[in-house]
Amino acid sequence: MGSGSAPDLVELARVVAQQRAELDRLREQAAVSAVVERAKGAVMALTGCSADAAGETLLQRAEAARRTLLEECWITLGELTPVRSGASGPRGETVDLPGAGPAAAPSAPDRVADALRRLARSLAHVDTHQDLARCLLDHLGPELDADSVLVYVRRAGGGLELLGHAGIDARLADQWRQVPPFGGVAVLDALEAGEPRWLEDFAEDSARYLLIGEPPERWRSRAWLPLPAGDGSEACVGVLRGRPGPFSAHDRIHLRGVVRLCAGRLRTFPSVPEPASDAPLDAVQALFAALPVAAMLLTPLRGPSGCAEDFRVDAATAQAADLLSGTAGDPAGRRLLEVWPDLTDTPVWPGCLDTLASGRTYESEPFAHQETVDGVAELSTYSVRVTRLEDALVVTWVRHASSDRQEQRLAVLQRLGNLGWANWNLVTDEASWSSQVFAILDRDPADGPVPLADLPRLAFSDDRSELSRAVGTLIREGQPFDVSFRVRGTRGVRHLRLVAEVVADAHGTPAEVHGIVQDLTARRRAELALVESERAILTQHDVLQSERTLVARLQNALLPLPERPVNLAGLRVEVAYLPSQSGIQVGGDWFSAMELPDGDALFVVGDVAGHGVGAVATMALLRFTAKGMVITGSSLTGALARLNTLLLHSRDTHGTATMVLARYRPRDRRLLWAQAGHTPPLLARDGEVTHLRRPPGTLLGATAAPHFEEAECRLEPGDRVLLYTDGLVERPPEIIDAGLERLARAVAAAPGRRPGHGSLATLLESMLEDERRDDVCVLDIRVPRASRGSGPAGRAGGVRRHR
């Protein structure tokens, strides 16, 4: 070793220490962040505020109470207060949040909420998975009659490790501490599905799952509820009860609330190290000895190249030993190819090697296996499943046999799906059909099943050749098929589907054919109806699109937009009109900007309710009538009153409308304006942006006795006035005042030579970030600086009343 080795090691140790410290810091930060995010989510759900607002609320509470943010988050989770009761929970359950209901007689939801609050406080004192299991049993014992609680965590190899338990003895806990990733385990099923598993029928559950317990009858009902753990793995909480019967709706709500609280607490737990790879196999062998399925645990034996040349059987169940023909005694400790000599000639061997290398689970095709049952040779169907557990493999055999209850479920499935199963034994030429196949084919069960080779004769002549080719290829080459064909029966022509595959024996020779027959007649009819419906929809869409095109052209003809700013009565006026981006209908927003015969300028912005041809027609009527009335001498309030009467008594008009009318007198720079249910004009002056105070004004077309008043504003050189429709400021579901404030801020912040005097295009871009749900119309009116001194300055916002 060179002389520089010691300093290098010291430097390396320092770097490693820094990295460990940084890792610890990141873990702590992640744990705290998870709790904070959960508390923010609770505040958001209860108050309807945003994530940022929820975080600010938590910070303010913590500062006011002189607590840390993490303390405040746990207290918030323990003291949830609802906005309403009856909120919708998972799977349609009803969740009454804490505090709901009458105080005099607490309801079941109130009791659940109180229990969850107590649990939230208790969780603050829980530091390990074992503490968590004891805490949950203390909580759920009196509340749900829980007798035991288990906390499992899924490890990197897919297996499970029992990290916390309460209510079971140490021997049973050691026996089930390590669970390999094979099928038929309820906790694994819950984790893979991401949904709780409610085991409420012991007879049915014991046939479907491997049940924990010696004996399993000790716990007649169980619940497994998955939740995320702190270190990125997955955890599952099991609640076991001695009494039988289902979990009530309130029990399920209670348990879902429990795991939601536990998820937040688990995020603060330190990571539990993976079990050592050289740990003794006693616990695993004890577990395998108790399993009622055929399974083996294998360790690879690698050659000089590093590749697996064989496997050592570390543990095996008695059922696995029985399946390995020619094996004498317990296969544990022996080589796999010794106890399964022809393994390399089957697809299972490359499946084992691939699973060991990639971690992907391997599942073999079903195969026939002859075994002796009660002294009688019987042909059974098995499949092999291989999963990786760290650097080992778990091999399980799945026997494809149906219990009476499974047969009942299968019958219901066939009836609801209008399908049935059919089997043909190619060795004995025997066939068996389910009753549903006889019903689909209108065949009397007394006549027996049709041989596979004769099945094409039932089909229409046009479909017979394709079905015959598929059956022949299946028998000769083992090629599965999925063929549709038609038959004629007492109910007329039926559209059927046949899906079939072969099961080969150990030598690869086709031995049996499994198939399903499905009646697709109803589906075919539905498909035809769907095609007709789609055609009708497309036709209607074309009609609506044509209407939109027509209305858009009509609107463009009635409402031409100037290509550049115009000068009216000494003012610079810019116009913008942006149609809605949602839907295909055209709206009724409009504007007018013109110079009157006496030298004044008239500005009008309006919005007709609704969309389509009717809205555009009403828009045209109001636009031209308003200009004509003002030109011929009507006052602004008088014009609005007459337009209201026109809307009320004309059959061709389109409901109601809003409008703002403004008249500018250049000789004294006075702006007179009146409105009918419209948004107020905006004034930008010397860096300050305000909305003009609206004079009274009734929505046009709403009443036969409207009331309108005028307001007066004296403009100054450099002023900017915006008249606009509500599409510029509305963002459902927020109130209109929020949009008005946003517009004022956008005008004040717009870039330009002076505050509040940016371009109209820049303003629209900042205001219309999302998809526009409504039309937008804006008149941008500016008083040039050069006109200073042309009239006396005055204050804005005076009101004159006109009846």
Side-chain angles (χ1 to χ4, degrees):
M1 182 178 296
S3 60
S5 302
D8 292 342
L9 290 177
V10 172
E11 178 63 18
L12 180 59
R14 185 184 64 81
V15 172
V16 171
Q18 289 178 348
Q19 291 179 342
R20 287 178 176 174
E22 178 64 12
L23 182 59
D24 292 340
R25 185 189 67 80
L26 292 175
R27 285 175 176 170
E28 177 65 17
Q29 181 180 354
V32 173
S33 177
V35 177
V36 172
E37 290 301 320
R38 187 165 187 82
K40 286 169 61 177
V43 175
M44 292 167 60
L46 295 176
T47 65
C49 67
S50 65
D52 292 339
E56 186 64 25
T57 299
L58 292 171
L59 286 172
Q60 292 175 357
R61 292 178 184 174
E63 292 175 359
R66 296 184 179 180
R67 289 190 288 258
T68 67
L69 178 59
L70 183 59
E71 291 172 338
E72 183 60 35
C73 290
W74 274 114
I75 293 174
T76 298
L77 291 174
E79 298 178 353
L80 300 178
T81 304
V83 176
R84 57 183 176 86
S85 64
S88 178
R91 292 180 175 269
E93 298 166 348
T94 300
V95 180
D96 285 335
L97 299 173
S107 63
D110 293 329
R111 292 194 297 273
V112 170
D114 292 339
L116 292 179
R117 283 197 291 268
R118 291 193 300 271
L119 176 62
R121 297 188 184 95
S122 300
L123 287 177
H125 306 287
V126 170
D127 297 317
T128 66
H129 294 82
Q130 188 65 27
D131 293 342
L132 177 62
R134 295 193 188 101
C135 177
L136 291 180
L137 184 59
D138 293 341
H139 172 79
L140 298 176
E143 298 289 343
L144 274 73
D145 295 334
D147 296 303
S148 304
V149 172
L150 307 179
V151 180
Y152 272 101
V153 171
R154 177 145 58 180
R155 291 308 191 181
L160 301 178
E161 183 178 0
L162 181 64
L163 295 184
H165 61 85
I168 67 173
D169 56 55
R171 187 178 68 84
L172 185 61
D174 290 339
Q175 184 177 354
W176 285 89
R177 189 169 304 279
Q178 304 291 335
V179 179
F182 47 72
V185 179
V187 57
L188 275 171
D189 190 13
L191 283 172
E192 291 177 359
E195 290 288 341
R197 288 293 178 260
W198 310 99
L199 280 63
E200 301 165 324
D201 186 324
F202 183 80
E204 179 180 345
D205 298 332
S206 60
R208 181 179 181 186
Y209 295 115
L210 303 176
L211 298 182
I212 297 174
E214 287 187 354
E217 290 82 358
R218 174 183 172 185
W219 295 292
R220 309 291 295 187
S221 59
R222 312 160 189 238
W224 292 99
L225 300 102
L227 69 163
D231 56 359
S233 60
E234 292 176 317
C236 194
V237 173
V239 178
L240 285 62
R241 304 190 304 184
R243 66 177 177 88
F247 291 85
S248 68
H250 290 299
D251 291 344
R252 296 191 177 199
I253 295 172
H254 192 162
L255 288 173
R256 289 181 188 272
V258 166
V259 297
R260 284 196 293 268
L261 290 178
C262 291
R265 193 64 184 121
L266 278 174
R267 293 189 180 97
T268 66
F269 286 179
S271 299
V272 179
E274 297 278 350
S277 59
D278 56 351
L281 294 175
D282 294 344
V284 176
Q285 291 174 346
L287 174 62
F288 271 72
L291 294 178
V293 296
M296 292 190 304
L297 179 65
L298 307 177
T299 297
L301 301 177
R302 303 184 183 275
S305 63
C307 299
E309 296 180 344
D310 201 348
F311 292 86
R312 183 183 67 246
V313 181
D314 290 334
T317 64
Q319 294 85 347
D322 293 339
L323 283 173
L324 296 173
S325 57
T327 300
D330 187 3
R334 301 164 64 183
R335 289 175 174 262
L336 179 62
L337 294 181
E338 176 188 349
V339 299
W340 196 346
D342 57 348
L343 174 62
T344 55
D345 298 330
T346 69
V348 177
W349 176 254
C352 291
L353 297 179
D354 179 72
T355 300
L356 182 63
S358 65
R360 292 189 298 268
T361 299
Y362 167 77
E363 294 189 11
S364 75
E365 296 294 330
F367 60 89
H369 175 76
Q370 186 170 341
E371 58 185 349
T372 302
V373 179
D374 296 332
V376 179
E378 182 177 297
L379 189 65
S380 302
T381 302
Y382 284 90
S383 62
V384 172
R385 188 172 189 265
V386 183
T387 55
R388 190 174 72 180
L389 181 61
E390 296 181 359
D391 195 38
L393 294 181
V394 176
V395 180
T396 56
W397 283 263
V398 179
R399 191 174 190 272
H400 297 273
S402 300
S403 64
D404 293 339
R405 186 172 294 275
Q406 288 173 327
E407 290 289 350
Q408 181 181 2
R409 290 200 299 267
L410 180 60
V412 174
L413 173 65
Q414 293 180 87
R415 177 175 54 82
L416 296 178
N418 206 2
L419 55 84
W421 58 263
N423 290 336
W424 291 273
N425 192 313
L426 302 180
V427 179
T428 62
D429 290 333
E430 295 178 347
S432 59
W433 286 2
S434 68
S435 59
Q436 192 68 21
V437 174
F438 286 100
I440 291 174
L441 293 173
D442 282 338
R443 185 174 177 84
D444 189 350
D447 297 334
V450 176
L452 181 60
D454 297 338
L455 192 64
R457 298 179 183 177
L458 302 179
F460 271 28
S461 58
D462 295 343
D463 304 333
R464 195 170 299 159
S465 59
E466 181 183 1
L467 184 58
S468 297
R469 285 194 300 270
V471 171
T473 305
L474 174 74
I475 296 175
R476 292 189 304 272
E477 304 174 9
Q479 180 68 38
F481 66 80
D482 184 343
V483 175
S484 298
F485 61 96
R486 293 165 295 169
V487 299
R488 187 180 301 277
T490 57
R491 294 173 293 170
V493 177
R494 313 295 295 176
H495 295 263
L496 306 183
R497 174 193 181 199
L498 174 60
V499 182
E501 63 179 7
V502 298
V503 176
D505 58 18
H507 304 287
T509 303
E512 193 171 8
V513 174
H514 296 168
I516 62 168
V517 180
Q518 186 175 14
D519 189 344
L520 301 179
T521 306
R523 181 183 297 180
R524 290 287 184 266
R525 292 172 180 169
E527 289 174 354
L528 292 175
L530 180 60
V531 170
E532 292 299 324
S533 177
E534 289 176 347
R535 289 176 180 172
I537 291 174
L538 290 175
T539 301
Q540 181 66 17
H541 181 273
D542 292 341
V543 171
L544 294 176
Q545 193 64 45
S546 299
E547 179 182 337
R548 177 181 175 87
T549 302
L550 173 62
V551 171
R553 290 177 179 175
L554 177 61
Q555 188 180 51
N556 290 335
L558 297 174
L559 198 65
L561 286 174
E563 298 181 355
R564 58 181 60 87
V566 297
N567 294 317
L568 296 176
L571 300 177
R572 181 181 179 274
V573 182
E574 190 173 356
V575 182
Y577 176 81
L578 301 173
S580 168
Q581 292 177 324
S582 62
I584 64 172
Q585 295 283 355
V586 177
D589 290 22
W590 57 279
F591 71 92
S592 280
M594 62 176 297
E595 193 165 312
L596 300 174
D598 59 0
D600 292 355
L602 175 65
F603 302 107
V604 189
V605 170
D607 186 1
V608 175
H611 296 79
V613 176
V616 174
T618 303
M619 175 268 290
L621 177 66
L622 293 177
R623 182 172 186 263
F624 293 114
T625 305
K627 291 195 299 182
M629 288 181 179
V630 176
I631 290 174
T632 56
S634 294
S635 65
L636 301 181
T637 54
L640 289 175
R642 291 178 176 85
L643 291 174
N644 181 76
T645 303
L646 180 64
L647 279 181
L648 287 174
H649 298 285
S650 177
R651 295 182 179 180
D652 298 329
T653 57
H654 196 77
T656 60
T658 68
M659 186 185 304
V660 57
L661 282 161
R663 182 167 187 154
Y664 176 70
R665 295 178 177 175
R667 55 186 176 274
D668 53 5
R669 293 198 309 275
R670 283 199 307 159
L671 182 72
L672 302 176
W673 66 285
Q675 60 88 27
H678 203 83
T679 52
L682 182 140
L683 173 64
R685 172 180 294 168
D686 295 333
E688 295 185 2
V689 180
T690 58
H691 290 281
L692 299 183
R693 186 164 59 91
R694 291 199 314 169
T698 309
L699 179 72
L700 296 180
T703 176
H707 175 67
F708 303 104
E709 295 183 13
E710 281 186 7
E712 178 182 322
C713 173
R714 196 179 303 276
L715 301 183
E716 297 179 1
D719 283 355
R720 181 185 186 186
V721 178
L722 290 181
L723 306 180
Y724 51 91
T725 56
D726 56 7
L728 182 64
V729 294
E730 280 190 339
R731 287 187 187 177
E734 70 178 14
I735 60 176
I736 191 66
D737 289 345
L740 296 176
E741 294 175 1
R742 183 170 54 254
L743 174 61
R745 291 193 302 268
V747 171
R753 289 176 297 178
R754 299 185 312 280
H757 287 73
S759 69
L760 179 58
T762 302
L763 173 64
L764 295 176
E765 183 178 356
S766 64
M767 287 294 296
L768 305 174
E769 297 176 352
D770 302 323
E771 180 184 37
R772 294 189 300 277
R773 300 183 180 182
D774 197 2
D775 295 359
V776 175
C777 183
V778 182
L779 282 182
D780 187 357
I781 306 169
R782 306 186 190 222
V783 183
R785 284 281 180 179
S787 63
R788 179 176 293 276
S790 60
R795 58 188 182 86
V799 177
R800 296 192 307 169
R801 299 185 180 275
H802 294 264
R803 300 287 182 178

